[in-house]
Amino acid sequence: MTAKSLVTRRTVLAAAGLGAVGAAVAACSGGDSASENAGPAEPTVQVVFTPSLDSPDAPNPTDTFSVKAENGQLNPDIKLLNPNGKVVQGEMSDDQTTFTITEPLGYGSEYTWQGSAIGSDRVTAPVEGTFTTLTPESQINVVVNIGDGQEVGIAAPIILKFNATVDDKEAVEKALSVTTEPETEGAWAWLGEDNGSRVHWRPKDYWVPGTKVHMSADLYGVDHGGGAYGAADVTSDFGIGRSQIVKAESSSHQIVVVRDGAVLMTLPCSYGEGDLDRNVTRSGIHVVTEKYEDFYMSNPAAGYFNIRERFAVRISNNGEFIHANPETIGVQGSSNVTNGCINLSLENAQRYFDTAVYGDPVEVTGTRIELSEADGDIFDWIFDWDTWTGMSAIQGDPEQIDAPATPSGAPRSAAPAG
C-alpha cells in the first residue's frame, strides 16, 4: 500500500469518526429545536355523528343515524353494534366519507359505534361512542281488517284498529297511505272509540272491480300522543273482486242480487216485522263481514237462545244476517215477520251464501229506522262524502285524486244517523 493510499484511508476514517461523535453530541445537547418537543401529530380528519352523541334528548329509533369523516375517509372497520353485540345493517357512501344505518333501531336500547377514520395526512382517528334511543311510556299496536292477497267486495273499507286510544290522530294519519291501480279517490275518517281508536279508509264511491290496493301504516316510531308510540309498521296488499250488490227493498219481500250490473238472482224473503224497534231491519248500506254454514243465534229480547241457523251471512254487528229460516218459508215473498234478519229458504240461502264475499254491499231500503253507528263496526256508507272527509284528523285542502268509480245508485243519508 502506498503512502498516498494510507493517508486517504485514514482521512476518511477520521472524518467518519468525527461525524459519529458530532451526532452523539447533538443528541445529548440541550438545544431548543421545535422538533424536540413535538408529540404525536393531531389527526386532520374530524368525525361527526348524527344524531350528536352529546345531545340531551334520546333519539327516535327511526331517525337517520350516521357517522361522517370530514377531511378524510372512513375505514372499512366502521360499524354500529346493538346491545347484544350484533352488527346493525348500514351502508357506506361511494366516497367512503359517510356510513348510514339502513334498518330501524329498537326503543330504549344502547348502541355503540366502533371503527376508525383516516385523514389525508395518513393519521387515523377512532370512531367510538354510545347513545341510547328513547323509551316510550307505552306502545300501541294496530291490526288491519284485510290481509295480503285477499279479494274483497266493492264496499269494503280499510280498517285500522288500535289497542289503545290515539291522542295525536293527526300525526298518526300522516303516517298512513293508500295507493291504488287505477287511482281511486278516498279518505281516512276517525270513528268512535271501541276499546281503542279506529280509523277507516273508504273510496268516495264503490271500488272499481279489479282495483289493486296497497295500504301502508308506517307507525313505528310515530308519537301517538300521551307518551305512546307506534309498536310496529303494518301493510296490506289486496284486490277488489267482482261487483256484487244486494238490492233489498223491504216492501218487495225479496232481494235482488246484481252481479256486474246484471241480475244474478231474485230471491223471495221476509224482512223484520217492524212492530218493535228491535225488529226493524235497518235501512242503509250494510257490508258483508262474515259467513257461516252453521250459526247458533240468540236473541234474549225475543226469547230464543242458541237456535241453529244455516247459511248465515252477517251484514251488521247488531245481529242482522241474511240466512235460512224454514219457519218463515210460508210468508217469504209476501210478508215481513222476522226479528230484523232477512230470511230465505234453505235452498235460496245456500245459493246466496255461495256468492257472498267480505265487503259486498247490501242496500236495504224502505224501513223506518236508518242504519247508524249503534249498529256495528261497518257503517261507513251512511255518511255523505263531505261528512266523511270532515272526519279526517288532517283538515285543510289536500290534493284530491280524480278517478273513475262505480256508481252505486244507493241511498245516502245527508248526515250521520242516530
Side-chain angles (χ1 to χ4, degrees):
M1 179 181 297
T2 65
K4 184 177 179 181
S5 299
L6 181 60
V7 171
T8 303
R9 185 166 179 263
R10 287 175 178 173
T11 303
V12 171
L13 290 173
L18 180 61
V21 172
V25 171
C28 296
S29 68
D32 58 356
S33 171
S35 64
E36 294 172 15
N37 295 325
E42 287 292 327
T44 59
V45 64
Q46 299 294 315
V47 177
V48 178
F49 296 98
T50 301
S52 173
L53 299 184
D54 57 6
S55 172
D57 299 320
N60 190 302
T62 60
D63 287 346
T64 297
F65 294 87
S66 67
V67 60
K68 182 177 182 180
E70 295 183 349
N71 302 318
Q73 291 182 324
L74 298 171
N75 287 323
D77 61 350
I78 196 75
K79 57 182 172 288
L80 181 67
L81 303 178
N82 71 11
N84 298 319
K86 182 179 178 181
V87 175
V88 181
Q89 293 180 5
E91 184 177 61
M92 184 75 80
S93 63
D94 292 339
D95 61 4
Q96 288 187 245
T97 61
T98 306
F99 184 81
T100 304
I101 298 305
T102 56
E103 63 174 302
L105 305 186
Y107 287 123
S109 300
E110 184 179 82
Y111 292 85
T112 303
W113 284 109
Q114 288 185 0
S116 60
I118 189 168
S120 56
D121 56 0
R122 311 310 298 167
V123 177
T124 61
V127 174
E128 57 188 4
T130 63
F131 62 88
T132 301
T133 53
L134 70 84
T135 302
E137 293 181 18
S138 62
Q139 297 183 41
I140 295 180
N141 283 288
V142 66
V143 294
V144 61
N145 63 319
I146 304 175
D148 285 338
Q150 191 172 349
E151 191 170 85
V152 299
I154 60 173
I158 302 170
I159 301 174
L160 294 180
K161 180 69 175 63
F162 298 85
N163 68 342
T165 295
V166 174
D167 290 331
D168 194 343
K169 292 179 171 60
E170 182 176 2
V172 168
E173 190 174 331
K174 287 179 178 177
L176 310 178
S177 65
V178 176
T179 55
T180 66
E181 182 184 345
E183 291 183 341
T184 304
E185 183 178 358
W188 293 100
W190 293 85
L191 305 182
E193 293 286 312
D194 180 20
N195 295 316
S197 298
R198 52 180 170 160
V199 62
H200 293 206
W201 192 99
R202 55 155 264 215
K204 182 178 181 180
D205 294 292
Y206 290 156
W207 293 100
V208 175
T211 299
K212 303 300 181 185
V213 185
H214 171 75
M215 187 284 302
S216 181
D218 298 328
L219 295 173
Y220 179 71
V222 173
D223 186 349
H224 289 35
Y229 282 75
D233 295 337
V234 176
T235 63
S236 180
D237 290 275
F238 62 94
I240 308 301
R242 80 288 177 272
S243 169
Q244 179 164 299
I245 304 170
V246 174
K247 303 285 187 177
E249 209 292 313
S250 63
S251 65
S252 70
H253 311 301
Q254 65 183 19
I255 61 171
V256 180
V257 182
V258 180
R259 170 76 64 84
D260 294 324
V263 174
L264 181 66
M265 61 185 84
T266 299
L267 307 174
C269 70
S270 180
Y271 293 86
E273 184 175 5
D275 55 333
L276 302 173
D277 287 355
R278 63 178 170 81
N279 292 335
V280 176
T281 306
R282 284 3 186 195
S283 284
I285 300 176
H286 299 62
V287 177
V288 170
T289 56
E290 300 173 301
K291 64 180 187 177
Y292 307 89
E293 289 192 17
D294 292 278
F295 192 79
Y296 289 84
M297 296 186 182
S298 297
N299 188 336
Y304 62 86
F305 301 87
N306 294 323
I307 301 298
R308 182 192 182 207
E309 304 291 3
R310 302 296 312 283
F311 303 111
V313 177
R314 185 189 291 275
I315 61 173
S316 178
N317 269 1
N318 67 356
E320 290 175 302
F321 286 80
I322 300 174
H323 67 89
N325 188 348
E327 294 184 4
T328 64
I329 287 180
V331 297
Q332 288 173 16
S334 60
S335 183
N336 294 330
V337 300
T338 81
N339 295 116
C341 291
I342 299 174
N343 285 181
L344 302 170
S345 70
L346 184 65
E347 179 184 2
N348 287 339
Q350 183 173 7
R351 287 181 64 196
Y352 170 65
F353 178 94
D354 290 342
T355 70
V357 301
Y358 181 92
D360 283 344
V362 177
E363 300 174 354
V364 178
T365 55
T367 69
R368 63 183 177 83
I369 298 179
E370 294 286 322
L371 184 73
S372 72
E373 184 173 359
D375 292 307
D377 291 338
I378 302 180
F379 49 92
D380 302 36
W381 297 96
I382 70 173
F383 302 107
D384 62 35
W385 188 239
D386 287 342
T387 302
W388 181 263
T389 55
M391 295 160 65
S392 166
I394 303 173
Q395 295 301 314
D397 188 21
E399 180 180 352
Q400 296 294 318
I401 298 174
D402 294 324
T406 304
S408 67
R412 297 283 198 275
S413 297

